[in-house]
Amino acid sequence: MRDIFNAIQKSAIRIKEAIDVKDIGYSQQENSSGETQLQLDIQCDMIIEEEFSNVTSVHTIASEEKEHAQLMHNEGKYFIAYDPLDGSSLVDVNLSVGSIFGIYEGDFGSQNMVAACYVVYGPRVEMVFAENKTKLYLLQAGAFEFVKEIRLKEKGNLNAPGGTQQHWAPYHKELVDSFFAEGYRLRYSGGMVPDLHQILLKGGGLFSYPGTLDKPNGKLRKLFEVFPFAFIYEKSGGRAIDGKGDLMKLPHANIHDTAICFFGSNYEIERVKEVYAQQG
Ligand code: AFP
């Protein structure tokens, strides 16, 4: 696992350098989710693939930017799913973005996840890596220095409601509004990594991306986004559900499958379960 951790650190430093170059515009290609790819998306994907190609413990990689998984080393045991630059459409308005990694042993799948990691490229470059505990690192002078362990409180006060509001179910809107009525603060940038990082570091709250009329199975991808953050939130003392059950118990059929997702502290997740249990 140390060799994977080191490869992610090297990738993050190279990706930060790529982001700092002026905007290089959109490519003519689309990714598997039908989203037009930024040249930067493709460049960041290549950086990560190159770094993992040097790690013999990595058997297979799957990128959000590619249709199919790729064999790296037959003798490897880890399967890594990653989103090279999540929220890339925010780069040209200078908002924070991130890279997300799900590390699976033996094959992809929530039941095989053994570690998860994300890097947030903001005013500072920080990394969160979770195995048994969730650890925060800060990039300083070309190296990631350990800062602290992350633990969520029982309840927070931040509310990050994703998805197109005009397509929310009425009961979901009532749920979201009920937190604001309790004094929760709206914290939503449209970047999953900084939005979830903020709730983790501020001690708690709720991030939601529900099923909507336009995206009935949610928008966020299980292997690259949902399972890694579910793993990290659970290792930090929080919870991650799809409205009814644990996200980390969900199967997947295709590497680009999506899921409805709620990540947060215990209090907020219990409230989500109460409301969603009434919907049958
Ligand atoms: P982009 O990568 O297209 O910017 O989308 C970012 C993202 O996948 C995730 O980072 C956000 O949480 C989510 O989309 C925001 O989606 P909505 O704009 O529909 O809330």
Side-chain angles (χ1 to χ4, degrees), residues 195-210:
D195 291 342
L196 281 158
H197 187 60
Q198 177 170 201
I199 291 171
L200 272 176
L201 291 195
K202 297 287 188 186
L206 179 69
F207 175 102
S208 53
Y209 204 106

Side-chain angles (χ1 to χ4, degrees), residues 2 8 65 119 125 174 238 249:
R2 185 80 212 170
I8 291 174
E65 297 302 334
V119 181
V125 179
E174 283 166 29
K249 292 194 173 69

Side-chain angles (χ1 to χ4, degrees), residues 49-272:
E49 179 181 339
E50 194 176 297
E51 292 298 340
F52 283 141
S53 69
N54 300 323
V55 181
T56 54
S57 66
V58 176
H59 184 281
T60 296
I61 58 173
S63 169
E64 193 225 21
E65 297 302 334
K66 290 197 182 74
E67 180 69 25
H68 304 293
Q70 289 168 267
L71 174 66
M72 291 278 112
H73 305 279
N74 265 315
E75 70 277 22
K77 66 176 180 176
Y78 295 113
F79 288 62
I80 302 181
Y82 63 89
D83 183 352
L85 198 64
D86 183 82
S88 53
S89 64
L90 301 171
V91 169
D92 55 10
V93 292
N94 202 25
L95 284 177
S96 297
V97 292
S99 304
I100 313 168
F101 302 84
I103 300 155
Y104 305 85
E105 186 164 343
D107 198 357
F108 294 117
S110 55
Q111 73 286 0
N112 295 332
M113 182 166 262
V114 292
C117 174
Y118 66 83
V119 181
V120 51
Y121 310 97
R124 298 194 291 246
V125 179
E126 293 184 325
M127 176 193 291
V128 167
F129 197 96
E131 271 186 282
N132 301 316
K133 295 190 172 107
T134 303
K135 296 183 177 177
L136 173 67
Y137 299 83
L138 172 64
L139 180 60
Q140 288 185 305
F144 281 92
E145 305 291 336
F146 174 72
V147 175
K148 64 176 180 179
E149 277 185 37
I150 296 175
R151 292 296 294 172
L152 283 164
K153 298 179 195 134
E154 185 62 20
K155 179 183 183 300
N157 67 355
L158 302 182
N159 191 7
T164 308
Q165 298 203 18
Q166 71 179 119
H167 296 320
W168 285 353
Y171 61 85
H172 181 78
K173 176 155 177 52
E174 283 166 29
L175 170 71
V176 170
D177 289 347
S178 72
F179 287 110
F180 289 131
E182 278 187 52
Y184 279 66
R185 318 285 293 169
L186 171 62
R187 291 292 183 271
Y188 194 76
S189 73
M192 179 183 197
V193 172
D195 291 342
L196 281 158
H197 187 60
Q198 177 170 201
I199 291 171
L200 272 176
L201 291 195
K202 297 287 188 186
L206 179 69
F207 175 102
S208 53
Y209 204 106
T212 56
L213 292 176
D214 58 333
K215 294 185 187 301
N217 295 316
K219 171 184 183 183
L220 303 177
R221 275 68 44 139
K222 286 179 178 176
L223 289 182
F224 317 111
E225 296 163 325
V226 173
F227 292 157
F229 272 104
F231 185 91
I232 289 167
Y233 265 63
E234 288 188 354
K235 293 295 181 184
S236 305
R239 308 260 295 284
I241 63 172
D242 65 352
K244 294 187 168 68
D246 293 344
L247 286 167
M248 290 308 287
K249 292 194 173 69
L250 288 183
H252 74 282
N254 174 300
I255 62 170
H256 295 282
D257 280 359
T258 62
I260 295 166
C261 51
F262 300 86
F263 308 91
S265 318
N266 289 315
Y267 169 82
E268 290 85 354
I269 295 295
E270 279 306 312
R271 286 275 305 286
V272 172

